[in-house]
């Protein structure tokens, strides 16, 4: 057993303790810098942890934190969905068609250096100041980084696989379907996970326009304008926590959708029995959580039309103009959950013997 492998095993078993210790150390230093009547750092610069917890309660009770958060989440996911749906086909088009690539590769590369806050005025002129403008603005902020990466992933497809399917007589479309698409998507999923933070980075800028709702608008309206630095810190911490959760969910989906990317690492460095137990627990938790989400969504969807909960339609109240994003997400989630049942039903139908008259 090599020294590197020993380190990897120790990291896997004690990682949660190290993370907890690091968090406790940061919190302790923060408390020491802000404690007492004459703190080292003034509360107008760095509020105390206790003040931030108190601000969290105020945001919920006085500033409608939950619906504002849900609205921001809808904008974030909507921009991300639009960026992915545009970047992937455009990436394949520019990566596989030399004429299209030669015509547009320079503008695509130049767009990466565009200062997005300066382009806000253009999006206002094109789309107004409503939710759709904010979704398009966030999508554009992701596309200018994701599209060049998608083109590069097309270029990274190994030539040996292309020669193999060509030798087997595959057509151009079959080559795209069986080689390019699986290879590009599996690698691009990791890039999409890394770029998750970009949408949250620009959401404060997008929501400051109009100031209707959202965490970004809340940061300007009740935080910076009123000098409530504690509320600003609280909102930023919420964004960071949500970003970490999104990253973990992307990592879980990456392992489930593309297990071949982790197979070699698992066989070489990890204990197969330990990994199997952790994967089983994680799969059970995610499966249970997904069914709970589907059930809650169906109840809220019925409430939208039949008012079975109360006078307030919760979905519309929480997500406002971004409700369509969650409709699409839950349609996809339901499709993923029932897909194995459809496959088993189809297999059972094919296995039924036919009688010859």
């Amino acid at each position: 057993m090599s020294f590197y492998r020993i380190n990897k095993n120790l990291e896997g078993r004690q990682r949660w303790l190290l993370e907890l210790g690091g968090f406790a150390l940061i919190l302790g230093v923060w408390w020491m810098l802000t404690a007492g009547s004459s703190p080292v750092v003034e509360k107008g610069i760095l509020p105390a942890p206790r003040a931030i917890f108190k601000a969290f309660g105020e945001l919920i009770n006085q500033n409608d934190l939950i619906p504002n958060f849900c609205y921001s989440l809808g904008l974030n996911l909507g921009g991300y969905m639009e960026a992915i749906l545009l970047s992937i086909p455009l990436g394949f088009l520019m990566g596989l068609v030399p004429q299209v690539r030669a015509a547009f590769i320079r503008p695509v590369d130049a767009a990466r250096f565009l200062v997005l806050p300066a382009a806000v005025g253009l999006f206002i002129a094109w789309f107004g100041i409503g939710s759709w403008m904010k979704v398009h603005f966030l999508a554009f902020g992701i596309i200018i980084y994701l599209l060049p990466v998608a083109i590069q992933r097309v270029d990274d497809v190994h030539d040996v696989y292309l020669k193999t399917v060509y030798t087997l007589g595959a057509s151009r479309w079959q080559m795209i379907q069986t080689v390019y698409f699986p290879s590009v998507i599996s690698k691009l999923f990791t890039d999409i996970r890394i770029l998750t933070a970009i949408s949250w980075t620009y959401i404060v800028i997008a929501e400051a326009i109009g100031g209707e709702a959202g965490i970004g608008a809340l940061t300007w309206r009740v935080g910076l304008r009123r000098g409530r630095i504690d509320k600003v810190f609280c909102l930023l911490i919420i964004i960071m926590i949500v970003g970490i959760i999104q990253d973990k969910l992307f990592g879980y989906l990456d392992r489930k959708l593309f297990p071949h990317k982790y197979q070699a690492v698992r066989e070489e460095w990890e204990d197969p029995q330990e990994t199997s137990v952790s994967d089983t627990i994680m799969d059970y938790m995610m499966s249970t959580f997904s069914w709970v989400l589907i059930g809650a969504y169906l109840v809220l969807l019925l409430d939208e039309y039949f008012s079975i909960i109360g006078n307030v339609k919760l979905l519309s109240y929480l997500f406002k103009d971004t409700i369509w994003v969650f409709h699409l997400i839950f349609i996809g989630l339901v499709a993923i959950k029932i897909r194995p049942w459809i496959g088993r039903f189809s297999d059972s139908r094919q296995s039924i013997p036919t009688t010859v008259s």
Side-chain angles (χ1 to χ4, degrees), residues 194-230:
I194 295 173
L195 292 174
T196 304
I198 292 179
S199 184
W200 284 111
T201 301
Y202 292 118
I203 201 165
V204 176
I205 300 174
E207 290 179 348
I209 304 167
E212 299 175 356
I215 286 185
L218 208 59
T219 303
W220 288 102
R221 190 171 65 247
V222 304
L224 295 176
R225 289 181 181 176
R226 299 183 181 180
R228 292 295 303 271
I229 304 299
D230 52 344

Short mmCIF file of all heavy atoms in Angstrom, two decimals, residues 194-230:
data_model
loop_
_atom_site.label_atom_id
_atom_site.label_comp_id
_atom_site.label_asym_id
_atom_site.label_seq_id
_atom_site.Cartn_x
_atom_site.Cartn_y
_atom_site.Cartn_z
N ILE A 194 -19.04 22.99 -12.45
CA ILE A 194 -18.10 24.01 -12.01
C ILE A 194 -18.65 25.41 -12.26
O ILE A 194 -18.44 26.33 -11.47
CB ILE A 194 -16.74 23.82 -12.73
CG1 ILE A 194 -16.11 22.49 -12.31
CG2 ILE A 194 -15.80 24.97 -12.45
CD1 ILE A 194 -14.87 22.13 -13.10
N LEU A 195 -19.39 25.57 -13.36
CA LEU A 195 -19.91 26.89 -13.72
C LEU A 195 -21.18 27.27 -12.97
O LEU A 195 -21.75 28.33 -13.23
CB LEU A 195 -20.18 26.94 -15.23
CG LEU A 195 -18.94 26.88 -16.14
CD1 LEU A 195 -19.36 26.79 -17.59
CD2 LEU A 195 -18.07 28.10 -15.91
N THR A 196 -21.63 26.40 -12.05
CA THR A 196 -22.84 26.71 -11.29
C THR A 196 -22.74 28.03 -10.56
O THR A 196 -23.72 28.79 -10.44
CB THR A 196 -23.11 25.58 -10.27
OG1 THR A 196 -23.19 24.33 -10.94
CG2 THR A 196 -24.42 25.83 -9.53
N ALA A 197 -21.55 28.35 -10.07
CA ALA A 197 -21.38 29.56 -9.26
C ALA A 197 -21.58 30.83 -10.07
O ALA A 197 -21.89 31.89 -9.48
CB ALA A 197 -19.98 29.57 -8.63
N ILE A 198 -21.42 30.78 -11.39
CA ILE A 198 -21.51 32.00 -12.19
C ILE A 198 -22.90 32.61 -12.10
O ILE A 198 -23.06 33.83 -11.96
CB ILE A 198 -21.12 31.71 -13.65
CG1 ILE A 198 -19.64 31.36 -13.73
CG2 ILE A 198 -21.44 32.91 -14.53
CD1 ILE A 198 -19.17 31.04 -15.12
N SER A 199 -23.92 31.76 -12.16
CA SER A 199 -25.28 32.28 -12.13
C SER A 199 -25.59 32.98 -10.82
O SER A 199 -26.22 34.04 -10.80
CB SER A 199 -26.27 31.12 -12.36
OG SER A 199 -27.59 31.60 -12.42
N TRP A 200 -25.12 32.43 -9.70
CA TRP A 200 -25.33 33.09 -8.42
C TRP A 200 -24.49 34.36 -8.31
O TRP A 200 -24.85 35.29 -7.60
CB TRP A 200 -24.99 32.14 -7.28
CG TRP A 200 -26.02 31.10 -7.03
CD1 TRP A 200 -25.92 29.76 -7.27
CD2 TRP A 200 -27.34 31.30 -6.52
NE1 TRP A 200 -27.08 29.12 -6.93
CE2 TRP A 200 -27.98 30.04 -6.47
CE3 TRP A 200 -28.05 32.43 -6.11
CZ2 TRP A 200 -29.29 29.88 -6.02
CZ3 TRP A 200 -29.36 32.26 -5.65
CH2 TRP A 200 -29.96 31.00 -5.61
N THR A 201 -23.36 34.40 -9.01
CA THR A 201 -22.51 35.59 -8.97
C THR A 201 -23.22 36.80 -9.57
O THR A 201 -23.14 37.92 -9.05
CB THR A 201 -21.20 35.34 -9.72
OG1 THR A 201 -20.51 34.23 -9.13
CG2 THR A 201 -20.30 36.56 -9.67
N TYR A 202 -23.95 36.57 -10.67
CA TYR A 202 -24.59 37.68 -11.37
C TYR A 202 -26.03 37.91 -10.96
O TYR A 202 -26.67 38.83 -11.47
CB TYR A 202 -24.53 37.43 -12.88
CG TYR A 202 -23.14 37.49 -13.44
CD1 TYR A 202 -22.55 36.39 -14.04
CD2 TYR A 202 -22.39 38.66 -13.36
CE1 TYR A 202 -21.26 36.45 -14.54
CE2 TYR A 202 -21.11 38.73 -13.87
CZ TYR A 202 -20.55 37.62 -14.45
OH TYR A 202 -19.27 37.68 -14.96
N ILE A 203 -26.56 37.08 -10.07
CA ILE A 203 -27.99 37.22 -9.75
C ILE A 203 -28.27 38.51 -8.97
O ILE A 203 -29.35 39.10 -9.08
CB ILE A 203 -28.49 35.98 -8.98
CG1 ILE A 203 -30.00 35.88 -9.12
CG2 ILE A 203 -28.08 36.03 -7.50
CD1 ILE A 203 -30.56 34.54 -8.73
N VAL A 204 -27.29 38.98 -8.18
CA VAL A 204 -27.47 40.23 -7.46
C VAL A 204 -27.59 41.39 -8.45
O VAL A 204 -28.41 42.30 -8.28
CB VAL A 204 -26.31 40.47 -6.48
CG1 VAL A 204 -26.45 41.82 -5.80
CG2 VAL A 204 -26.27 39.36 -5.44
N ILE A 205 -26.78 41.36 -9.51
CA ILE A 205 -26.85 42.40 -10.54
C ILE A 205 -28.18 42.36 -11.26
O ILE A 205 -28.83 43.39 -11.49
CB ILE A 205 -25.69 42.24 -11.53
CG1 ILE A 205 -24.34 42.35 -10.80
CG2 ILE A 205 -25.78 43.28 -12.64
CD1 ILE A 205 -23.16 42.05 -11.68
N ALA A 206 -28.62 41.14 -11.62
CA ALA A 206 -29.86 41.01 -12.38
C ALA A 206 -31.07 41.46 -11.57
O ALA A 206 -31.95 42.17 -12.07
CB ALA A 206 -30.04 39.56 -12.82
N GLU A 207 -31.12 41.07 -10.29
CA GLU A 207 -32.29 41.37 -9.48
C GLU A 207 -32.31 42.81 -8.98
O GLU A 207 -33.34 43.30 -8.54
CB GLU A 207 -32.37 40.41 -8.31
CG GLU A 207 -32.70 38.99 -8.73
CD GLU A 207 -32.75 38.05 -7.55
OE1 GLU A 207 -32.31 38.43 -6.45
OE2 GLU A 207 -33.22 36.91 -7.74
N ALA A 208 -31.16 43.47 -9.02
CA ALA A 208 -31.14 44.88 -8.62
C ALA A 208 -31.92 45.75 -9.60
O ALA A 208 -32.33 46.86 -9.26
CB ALA A 208 -29.70 45.37 -8.52
N ILE A 209 -32.11 45.23 -10.82
CA ILE A 209 -32.86 45.97 -11.84
C ILE A 209 -34.35 45.82 -11.56
O ILE A 209 -34.89 44.72 -11.59
CB ILE A 209 -32.54 45.44 -13.25
CG1 ILE A 209 -31.04 45.49 -13.51
CG2 ILE A 209 -33.29 46.21 -14.31
CD1 ILE A 209 -30.61 44.71 -14.71
N GLY A 210 -35.03 46.88 -11.29
CA GLY A 210 -36.45 46.80 -10.97
C GLY A 210 -36.71 46.58 -9.49
O GLY A 210 -37.64 47.13 -8.94
N GLY A 211 -35.85 45.78 -8.84
CA GLY A 211 -35.96 45.56 -7.40
C GLY A 211 -37.28 44.96 -6.96
O GLY A 211 -37.78 45.26 -5.88
N GLU A 212 -37.87 44.07 -7.78
CA GLU A 212 -39.17 43.51 -7.43
C GLU A 212 -39.06 42.44 -6.34
O GLU A 212 -39.74 42.50 -5.32
CB GLU A 212 -39.82 42.90 -8.68
CG GLU A 212 -40.08 43.93 -9.78
CD GLU A 212 -40.60 43.28 -11.04
OE1 GLU A 212 -40.69 42.03 -11.06
OE2 GLU A 212 -40.90 43.99 -11.99
N ALA A 213 -38.23 41.46 -6.56
CA ALA A 213 -38.13 40.34 -5.63
C ALA A 213 -36.79 39.66 -5.84
O ALA A 213 -36.06 39.94 -6.78
CB ALA A 213 -39.29 39.36 -5.85
N GLY A 214 -36.50 38.74 -4.93
CA GLY A 214 -35.27 37.97 -5.04
C GLY A 214 -34.25 38.35 -3.97
O GLY A 214 -34.32 39.43 -3.37
N ILE A 215 -33.29 37.45 -3.76
CA ILE A 215 -32.26 37.70 -2.77
C ILE A 215 -31.39 38.89 -3.18
O ILE A 215 -30.97 39.67 -2.34
CB ILE A 215 -31.41 36.42 -2.58
CG1 ILE A 215 -32.21 35.39 -1.79
CG2 ILE A 215 -30.12 36.73 -1.85
CD1 ILE A 215 -31.44 34.15 -1.45
N GLY A 216 -31.11 39.01 -4.48
CA GLY A 216 -30.31 40.14 -4.94
C GLY A 216 -30.98 41.47 -4.65
O GLY A 216 -30.35 42.41 -4.15
N ALA A 217 -32.27 41.55 -4.97
CA ALA A 217 -33.01 42.78 -4.69
C ALA A 217 -33.09 43.02 -3.19
O ALA A 217 -33.02 44.17 -2.72
CB ALA A 217 -34.42 42.68 -5.28
N LEU A 218 -33.23 41.94 -2.42
CA LEU A 218 -33.29 42.08 -0.97
C LEU A 218 -31.97 42.61 -0.41
O LEU A 218 -31.95 43.39 0.55
CB LEU A 218 -33.62 40.73 -0.36
CG LEU A 218 -34.37 40.71 0.99
CD1 LEU A 218 -35.71 41.43 0.86
CD2 LEU A 218 -34.57 39.28 1.45
N THR A 219 -30.86 42.19 -1.02
CA THR A 219 -29.55 42.66 -0.57
C THR A 219 -29.43 44.18 -0.72
O THR A 219 -28.93 44.87 0.18
CB THR A 219 -28.44 41.96 -1.37
OG1 THR A 219 -28.56 40.55 -1.21
CG2 THR A 219 -27.07 42.40 -0.90
N TRP A 220 -29.91 44.70 -1.85
CA TRP A 220 -29.86 46.15 -2.05
C TRP A 220 -30.89 46.89 -1.21
O TRP A 220 -30.61 47.92 -0.61
CB TRP A 220 -30.09 46.46 -3.54
CG TRP A 220 -28.95 46.09 -4.42
CD1 TRP A 220 -28.86 45.00 -5.24
CD2 TRP A 220 -27.72 46.80 -4.58
NE1 TRP A 220 -27.66 44.98 -5.89
CE2 TRP A 220 -26.94 46.08 -5.51
CE3 TRP A 220 -27.21 47.98 -4.04
CZ2 TRP A 220 -25.68 46.50 -5.91
CZ3 TRP A 220 -25.95 48.40 -4.43
CH2 TRP A 220 -25.20 47.66 -5.36
N ARG A 221 -32.11 46.35 -1.16
CA ARG A 221 -33.22 47.09 -0.59
C ARG A 221 -33.16 47.17 0.94
O ARG A 221 -33.35 48.24 1.52
CB ARG A 221 -34.54 46.45 -1.02
CG ARG A 221 -35.77 47.29 -0.68
CD ARG A 221 -37.02 46.72 -1.32
NE ARG A 221 -37.36 45.41 -0.79
CZ ARG A 221 -37.32 44.29 -1.50
NH1 ARG A 221 -36.92 44.32 -2.76
NH2 ARG A 221 -37.66 43.13 -0.97
N VAL A 222 -32.93 46.04 1.59
CA VAL A 222 -32.96 46.04 3.05
C VAL A 222 -31.57 45.90 3.67
O VAL A 222 -31.44 45.97 4.89
CB VAL A 222 -33.87 44.89 3.57
CG1 VAL A 222 -35.24 45.01 2.98
CG2 VAL A 222 -33.26 43.53 3.28
N GLY A 223 -30.57 45.69 2.82
CA GLY A 223 -29.22 45.53 3.34
C GLY A 223 -28.35 46.75 3.15
O GLY A 223 -28.11 47.53 4.07
N LEU A 224 -27.89 46.95 1.93
CA LEU A 224 -26.92 48.01 1.67
C LEU A 224 -27.53 49.40 1.81
O LEU A 224 -26.91 50.31 2.36
CB LEU A 224 -26.34 47.81 0.26
CG LEU A 224 -25.53 46.53 0.07
CD1 LEU A 224 -25.09 46.39 -1.39
CD2 LEU A 224 -24.31 46.52 0.98
N ARG A 225 -28.75 49.61 1.30
CA ARG A 225 -29.35 50.93 1.35
C ARG A 225 -29.63 51.39 2.79
O ARG A 225 -29.61 52.59 3.08
CB ARG A 225 -30.64 50.96 0.53
CG ARG A 225 -30.41 50.88 -0.96
CD ARG A 225 -31.73 50.93 -1.72
NE ARG A 225 -31.52 50.85 -3.15
CZ ARG A 225 -32.51 50.80 -4.05
NH1 ARG A 225 -33.77 50.84 -3.62
NH2 ARG A 225 -32.26 50.71 -5.33
N ARG A 226 -29.92 50.45 3.67
CA ARG A 226 -30.23 50.79 5.05
C ARG A 226 -29.06 50.54 5.99
O ARG A 226 -29.21 50.66 7.21
CB ARG A 226 -31.44 49.98 5.51
CG ARG A 226 -32.70 50.27 4.70
CD ARG A 226 -33.89 49.51 5.24
NE ARG A 226 -35.09 49.76 4.44
CZ ARG A 226 -36.28 49.22 4.70
NH1 ARG A 226 -36.43 48.41 5.75
NH2 ARG A 226 -37.30 49.48 3.93
N GLY A 227 -27.94 50.19 5.45
CA GLY A 227 -26.76 49.98 6.28
C GLY A 227 -26.82 48.76 7.16
O GLY A 227 -26.09 48.68 8.16
N ARG A 228 -27.67 47.76 6.81
CA ARG A 228 -27.77 46.54 7.60
C ARG A 228 -26.77 45.51 7.06
O ARG A 228 -27.11 44.60 6.30
CB ARG A 228 -29.19 46.00 7.55
CG ARG A 228 -30.20 46.87 8.27
CD ARG A 228 -29.93 46.93 9.77
NE ARG A 228 -29.89 45.61 10.38
CZ ARG A 228 -30.97 44.99 10.87
NH1 ARG A 228 -32.14 45.59 10.84
NH2 ARG A 228 -30.87 43.81 11.42
N ILE A 229 -25.53 45.67 7.47
CA ILE A 229 -24.47 44.76 7.01
C ILE A 229 -24.72 43.34 7.49
O ILE A 229 -24.36 42.37 6.82
CB ILE A 229 -23.10 45.26 7.49
CG1 ILE A 229 -22.86 46.70 7.01
CG2 ILE A 229 -21.98 44.36 6.98
CD1 ILE A 229 -22.86 46.84 5.52
N ASP A 230 -25.37 43.20 8.67
CA ASP A 230 -25.66 41.86 9.18
C ASP A 230 -26.61 41.12 8.24
O ASP A 230 -26.43 39.92 7.99
CB ASP A 230 -26.26 41.95 10.58
CG ASP A 230 -27.44 42.91 10.65
OD1 ASP A 230 -27.63 43.71 9.71
OD2 ASP A 230 -28.18 42.84 11.65
#
